Amino acid sequence: MPPNVGQGYILRRLIRRAVRHGMKLGLSGEFLTKPADVVVELYKDAYPILQEKKDVIMNGLTQEEGKFLKTLSKGEHEFEKVLPEITQNGNTVISGDVAFRLYDTYGFPLEITEELARENGLQVDRDGFDKAFKKHQEQSKMDSSAVFKGGLADNTEETTKLHTATHLLHKALRIVLGEHVEQKGSNITQDRLSFDFSHPEKMTPEEISRVEKIVNEQIQKDIPVSYTTMTLGEAREAGAMALFGEKYGDEARVLSLGGFSTELCGGIHVQRTGDIGVFKIISEGGVASGIRRIEAVTGENALQHIGETEQQLSRAAELLRASRGDLADKVQQVLDRARALEKELEAIKARLASQAGSSLSDQAVEINGVKVLAARLDGADPKSLRDTVDQLKNKLGEAVIVLATVQDDKVSLVAGVTKGHVGSIKAGELVNQVAQQVGGRGGGRPDMAMAGGTRPEGLDQALASVTEWVQARL
C-alpha cells in the first residue's frame, strides 16, 4: 500500500483519479491491475524492480482501488443528493461546510469534490472548507485548564489506566497506519481518553478494529510496566519516543511496556497492562488538516459501552426481522433495495424528461442557422434537466437551449450551448441572465451551466427573454 504522506499520498491521489475517470469511461469493478500489468511489461527491462515487486504492486493497487471504490460510491451518492439543493437555491458555489461534511463523514477527498463541482459548473469554497476544519477543531478542543503534565486531568485509578492505554494506542496506531503517526495532543479524564495524532485521512473500520485488537492483546498479556531513568540522549539512542506536550530535563524517565513500546513519560501508570481490563474506541474523526482524534474508554466504561452497543444491535435486528449474525447482510439488502429504487425512480424521471424533451424540440426557433429553445420541463429534477439538454443538443445540432423546472417553489435552470457557438454565447452568461429574473444567480462552463431561483412566478417571462438575448449575440 502506498504510504499516507509525501510522495505516497500523491500516488494515492493519482490512483483515485484513475479509478474515477475509469468509471466515467464505463469501466466497472477493479480494473487498474490490467493497465498496470502492461506498464510493468513495457518498463521491466529499464526498471527490474517492477518485475521483482510485481505481486506487491498489484496487491497494493487492488487494495487501494477496492477501498476507494467504496468511498467513491458513498461520496458521489451524497454529492448527488446535495446538488439539487445547491442549484435550486441559485448557488454556484458548494459551501465549505458541505465539502467538509463529505470529507469528514464519508472520507470523500476534497479534490474529488472539486472535480465533481467543475463538471457541474460549480466551484468549492476552499476558504470555507478550511474554516469548517478550524471550527470543528475549536468545537472539539480540550479544556486545558485542568490538564496536568502529560495530559492527565487527575491521578485517580481510572485516569491512570487510561494513561497507560494511551501509550499502547500510540504504538498500535503506528503499527497499523505507519511510522508517520505522531501524537499531537491528549486529554485524559476519569471517563475517557482523547488522543490526537497525525494522519491525512479518515481511518477505515478495519483499521480501527486492528488497532483495538492490538491494544487488547497487550492488555491480555498482562505485561509488567517498568521505568528506567536515563539522560535524554541515552533515551533517544535506546529508541524511546518523546510525546507531544511533555517537557523533559537533562534526565528523563523511560516507560517500557515489555518489548511492545518504549516512550519517554513522566506520568503515573498501572503496574501491569492487565490492570486496564478492556479497551474500546468509541469515536474517530478529524480536528484539523492532517490531524485525527480518537476517543476511547477502558474497564467498566468500556464494558458499559459494549453493552449499550449490543442492545442497539439487538434492537436493529428486531426491527429488520433478522438474527444478529445476519444483521449486516440484512442491512446491506435494505440499502441495495433502497438504492435500486432510487435508480429506478431516476430512470423513470429521465425517460419522462426525455420523452418531454423530444416533443420540446419542435418548439425550437431558428436564428441565423442556430436552433434556440427555452422551455419548462415540469416534473423533472436537475439531473434530468442536464441529461435532456445533452439529448436536445445532439438532436438539434447547432443549438442554444435553456430548460427549467420548479420544485417546492424553487426554480432550477440548465443552459446548454453546442461547441460551435461558445465563442459568441456562453452558457454561464445565458443561464445567469435568466436566473436573475427569478431571484437567483448561476454560472458554469461555456457549454453547460446551471442556476436556481426563488421566484417561480417570473419564470415564463424569463424564458421568453432568451430568444431576444441570443439573437443580439448571433
Side-chain angles (χ1 to χ4, degrees):
M1 294 288 287
N4 293 304
V5 293
Q7 295 174 336
Y9 185 60
I10 298 298
L11 177 58
R12 280 195 164 184
R13 290 181 62 176
L14 289 173
I15 292 172
R16 291 169 175 179
R17 287 176 68 85
V19 170
R20 182 164 185 274
H21 284 284
M23 291 177 65
K24 287 174 63 179
L25 291 172
L27 301 175
S28 59
E30 297 174 358
F31 57 84
L32 284 182
T33 54
K34 293 180 180 178
D37 191 54
V38 174
V39 171
V40 171
E41 187 64 29
L42 288 172
Y43 291 97
K44 64 181 181 181
D45 293 334
Y47 303 98
I49 195 172
L50 290 176
Q51 187 65 40
E52 296 169 10
K53 300 289 186 180
K54 182 177 178 179
D55 290 343
V56 175
I57 293 170
M58 296 303 176
N59 288 336
L61 194 58
T62 299
Q63 289 181 41
E64 181 64 21
E65 185 177 14
K67 176 181 170 182
F68 185 62
L69 280 171
K70 294 178 182 178
T71 298
L72 190 62
S73 177
K74 293 178 182 177
E76 286 193 328
H77 180 71
E78 291 301 316
F79 184 90
E80 288 293 335
K81 285 169 62 177
V82 301
L83 187 61
E85 181 180 345
I86 294 169
T87 56
Q88 284 176 0
N89 290 331
N91 295 324
T92 59
V93 177
I94 297 175
S95 72
D97 288 335
V98 171
F100 178 72
R101 179 168 61 83
L102 290 172
Y103 171 80
D104 188 57
T105 305
Y106 302 99
F108 207 56
L110 177 61
E111 63 269 16
I112 300 297
T113 300
E114 289 179 318
E115 192 170 313
L116 284 171
R118 285 193 296 271
E119 291 175 3
N120 288 277
L122 303 172
Q123 295 177 324
V124 175
D125 180 7
R126 261 189 172 266
D127 290 339
F129 179 86
D130 293 337
K131 288 178 182 177
F133 245 136
K134 184 176 180 181
K135 180 180 177 181
H136 183 71
Q137 182 182 21
E138 289 174 350
Q139 289 175 340
S140 304
K141 267 185 179 177
M142 309 162 196
D143 182 4
S144 60
S145 61
V147 175
F148 289 175
K149 182 179 180 182
L152 276 68
D154 53 52
N155 58 358
T156 62
E157 181 181 350
E158 291 304 317
T159 302
T160 302
K161 292 177 181 178
L162 286 161
H163 185 205
T164 306
T166 299
H167 286 265
L168 294 174
L169 171 62
H170 188 199
K171 179 64 176 181
L173 286 168
R174 289 173 64 84
I175 292 173
V176 173
L177 302 179
E179 295 297 309
H180 66 279
V181 170
E182 292 182 356
Q183 181 184 354
K184 295 299 181 182
S186 69
N187 177 251
I188 302 171
T189 69
Q190 293 186 45
D191 300 320
R192 57 99 184 101
L193 69 84
S194 183
F195 185 81
D196 294 352
F197 60 99
S198 55
H199 188 57
E201 61 188 1
K202 183 181 180 69
M203 289 179 66
T204 66
E206 293 78 14
E207 288 169 339
I208 292 173
S209 180
R210 285 181 60 198
V211 168
E212 278 187 345
K213 184 174 184 291
I214 291 171
V215 173
N216 280 306
E217 284 175 348
Q218 301 308 311
I219 292 172
Q220 291 168 11
K221 290 179 180 178
D222 197 24
I223 300 168
V225 178
S226 61
Y227 308 94
T228 304
T229 300
M230 58 181 72
T231 66
L232 197 55
E234 290 172 340
R236 286 172 175 164
E237 287 180 7
M241 286 192 61
L243 301 185
F244 179 89
E246 295 276 8
K247 295 180 180 179
Y248 309 100
D250 293 334
E251 289 192 340
R253 191 169 65 157
V254 177
L255 169 72
S256 177
L257 302 174
F260 181 72
S261 173
T262 303
E263 296 179 346
L264 291 169
C265 184
I268 57 173
H269 290 274
V270 297
Q271 293 184 348
R272 306 183 71 90
T273 58
D275 297 338
I276 298 170
V278 182
F279 174 84
K280 182 66 181 175
I281 294 174
I282 58 176
S283 70
E284 188 274 346
V287 293
S289 180
I291 305 295
R292 309 297 298 177
R293 173 172 296 167
I294 278 179
E295 291 193 340
V297 289
T298 59
E300 291 295 328
N301 288 331
L303 292 175
Q304 180 180 345
H305 179 81
I306 292 170
E308 291 172 352
T309 303
E310 291 287 310
Q311 291 178 7
Q312 293 174 358
L313 286 173
S314 296
R315 178 58 177 156
E318 181 182 346
L319 290 172
L320 292 171
R321 298 180 181 178
S323 66
R324 291 276 296 275
D326 296 332
L327 183 57
D329 290 338
K330 186 67 174 180
V331 170
Q332 189 62 56
Q333 290 174 15
V334 172
L335 290 175
D336 289 344
R337 177 59 177 161
R339 288 167 185 157
L341 290 172
E342 286 180 358
K343 289 183 179 179
E344 186 177 337
L345 179 60
E346 289 176 0
I348 292 172
K349 287 182 178 180
R351 284 198 299 272
L352 291 174
S354 177
Q355 293 170 4
S358 297
S359 62
L360 284 176
S361 62
D362 297 332
Q363 300 178 27
V365 297
E366 186 169 327
I367 301 175
N368 295 334
V370 178
K371 298 289 182 63
V372 180
L373 173 64
R376 293 180 63 146
L377 197 57
D378 292 325
D381 57 25
K383 184 177 184 303
S384 298
L385 284 186
R386 297 197 304 272
D387 293 342
T388 304
V389 167
D390 283 334
Q391 293 171 11
L392 285 168
K393 285 164 72 174
N394 292 331
K395 184 173 184 178
L396 295 174
E398 302 297 319
V400 176
I401 303 161
V402 178
L403 295 183
T405 189
V406 177
Q407 290 182 329
D408 300 325
D409 292 327
K410 294 180 180 178
V411 179
S412 292
L413 297 161
V414 178
V417 179
T418 49
K419 296 289 186 183
H421 296 282
V422 294
S424 56
I425 298 176
K426 301 289 192 297
E429 295 176 1
L430 172 58
V431 80
N432 192 50
Q433 77 88 23
V434 176
Q436 289 176 358
Q437 299 177 61
V438 292
R441 57 177 181 166
R445 304 194 310 266
D447 63 323
M448 177 73 77
M450 298 184 298
T454 56
R455 297 205 310 266
E457 65 274 9
L459 180 58
D460 291 337
Q461 184 177 347
L463 291 173
S465 71
V466 170
T467 300
E468 183 179 350
W469 188 91
V470 173
Q471 189 171 22
R473 286 159 178 78
L474 287 176

